[in-house]
Amino acid sequence: MTPRELARECDRILETKKFRDYPGARNGLQVTHNKLVKKVGWAVDADIESIRKAGKEKVDFLVVHHGLFWGSSTLDRKIRAKRIGLAKRLGVAIYSSHLPLDAHPELGNSIGLLRALGLGKSKCKPFGVAMGRAIGWKVEGGRWRLRDLVNRVALLRCEPRPSRGSSFAGFATRVRVVAAGPVVCRKIGIVTGGFGDLDQVVKAGLDTLITGETDYPTEVKARELGINLILGGHRETEVFGVGGLAERIRVRGL
Ligand SMILES: [Zn+2]
């Protein structure tokens, strides 16, 4: 398949056309080449290091979550030109998907995080609207200790994952936690990346929000509202979608 054909297949899988996204997202093929795709890879960001690594590993179709078109300052344009130049030189096509890849009910970032936290068997409903569509999930019907949830989120940050039985002491400190809600959580919102819409959290009656990052004023408000925030890192919570999509198109054959 050519990069264009493969991108069309990705758009079909992710139902890209159904999504409105932020202007910088520009979902779809962002850099292409005229060869057939032989090796698919993934990265959360289309940064210079990921492109360089893709080239080194002979990846000629790189799936990313944060593409090349965020930001429009002179510096942004300069960085972008460098990245595009390198991708072209190395023959790396770049396919980017933002909100469709957060929201996808099987391959998406949010469902991936939910499963990785061991909540896959719980009752969940769509939650966390961005640009008119839910991109995350709310989980209820169980009881989860805040401490356990924090530890599970902390495990996501271990790279490479330590073998079973290793001590994880210390890792949890890298996850930001605002422990302002109950010690036993019953209604949890999960939205990957940067999500801080407490209006939605309050409206949904959640006691805990698990996301990648949020801003300081949101942390302060959460404390006042008695809501737990577990902030697992923007990148760390968004590895699932790109990995899942790359795997899916690899399995289908190129
Ligand atoms: Zn993101």
Side-chain angles (χ1 to χ4, degrees):
M1 270 193 197
T2 64
R4 220 165 277 282
E5 287 166 337
L6 196 50
R8 220 173 293 137
E9 179 66 8
C10 293
D11 285 339
R12 197 190 57 73
I13 294 169
L14 299 174
E15 303 190 301
T16 305
K17 278 194 190 132
K18 288 192 182 166
F19 285 83
R20 228 166 20 102
D21 211 316
Y22 300 96
R26 295 213 206 162
N27 296 319
L29 195 61
Q30 299 190 336
V31 175
T32 190
H33 52 68
N34 342 319
K35 296 171 296 172
L36 292 179
V37 175
K38 291 205 177 97
K39 190 173 177 189
V40 175
W42 62 266
V44 174
D45 300 281
D47 59 330
I48 208 89
E49 196 191 327
S50 302
I51 295 166
R52 198 172 287 139
K53 209 169 153 206
K56 210 171 152 197
E57 294 182 12
K58 305 255 180 295
V59 164
D60 47 16
F61 190 90
L62 185 66
V63 175
V64 299
H65 184 50
H66 304 134
L68 294 158
F69 295 96
W70 296 96
S72 55
S73 71
T74 310
L75 185 61
D76 288 328
R77 287 202 296 272
K78 211 168 146 189
I79 292 171
R80 179 151 55 239
K82 219 172 142 189
R83 292 172 176 177
I84 292 174
L86 183 66
K88 290 201 167 188
R89 226 169 24 255
L90 295 173
V92 178
I94 297 178
Y95 174 84
S96 179
S97 181
H98 187 235
L99 295 183
L101 204 49
D102 285 323
H104 195 278
E106 283 167 55
L107 302 171
N109 284 323
S110 291
I111 197 76
L113 177 59
L114 190 150
R115 288 192 197 119
L117 297 177
L119 302 173
K121 291 203 176 93
S122 315
K123 226 171 63 185
C124 62
K125 283 187 187 152
F127 166 75
V129 174
M131 300 299 275
R133 283 187 73 127
I135 58 164
W137 303 93
K138 63 176 173 188
V139 181
E140 46 195 326
R143 292 162 64 99
W144 300 275
R145 290 180 67 81
L146 176 64
R147 259 181 65 178
D148 292 341
L149 288 173
V150 172
N151 283 334
R152 290 184 208 175
V153 174
L155 289 180
L156 303 173
R157 304 181 69 111
C158 307
E159 273 181 321
R161 279 166 202 240
S163 59
R164 222 175 269 183
S166 306
S167 164
F168 299 118
F171 283 109
T173 57
R174 295 191 204 161
V175 176
R176 280 189 70 73
V177 182
V178 175
V183 290
V184 177
C185 314
R186 289 164 183 268
K187 287 188 171 187
I188 306 168
I190 296 177
V191 186
T192 56
F195 184 80
D197 190 339
L198 293 179
D199 273 5
Q200 292 191 48
V201 172
V202 169
K203 261 183 213 151
L206 307 180
D207 53 44
T208 303
L209 173 69
I210 303 177
T211 186
E213 63 173 350
T214 190
D215 57 9
Y216 178 68
T218 303
E219 292 183 21
V220 174
K221 276 190 272 178
R223 210 166 283 138
E224 208 163 302
L225 290 165
I227 292 166
N228 294 319
L229 292 183
I230 306 177
L231 309 170
H234 196 130
R235 184 190 176 278
E236 287 79 1
T237 58
E238 296 201 313
V239 293
F240 305 99
V242 278
L245 179 64
E247 188 58 38
R248 170 74 68 95
I249 53 182
R250 249 184 236 137
V251 169
R252 287 196 178 185
L254 305 175

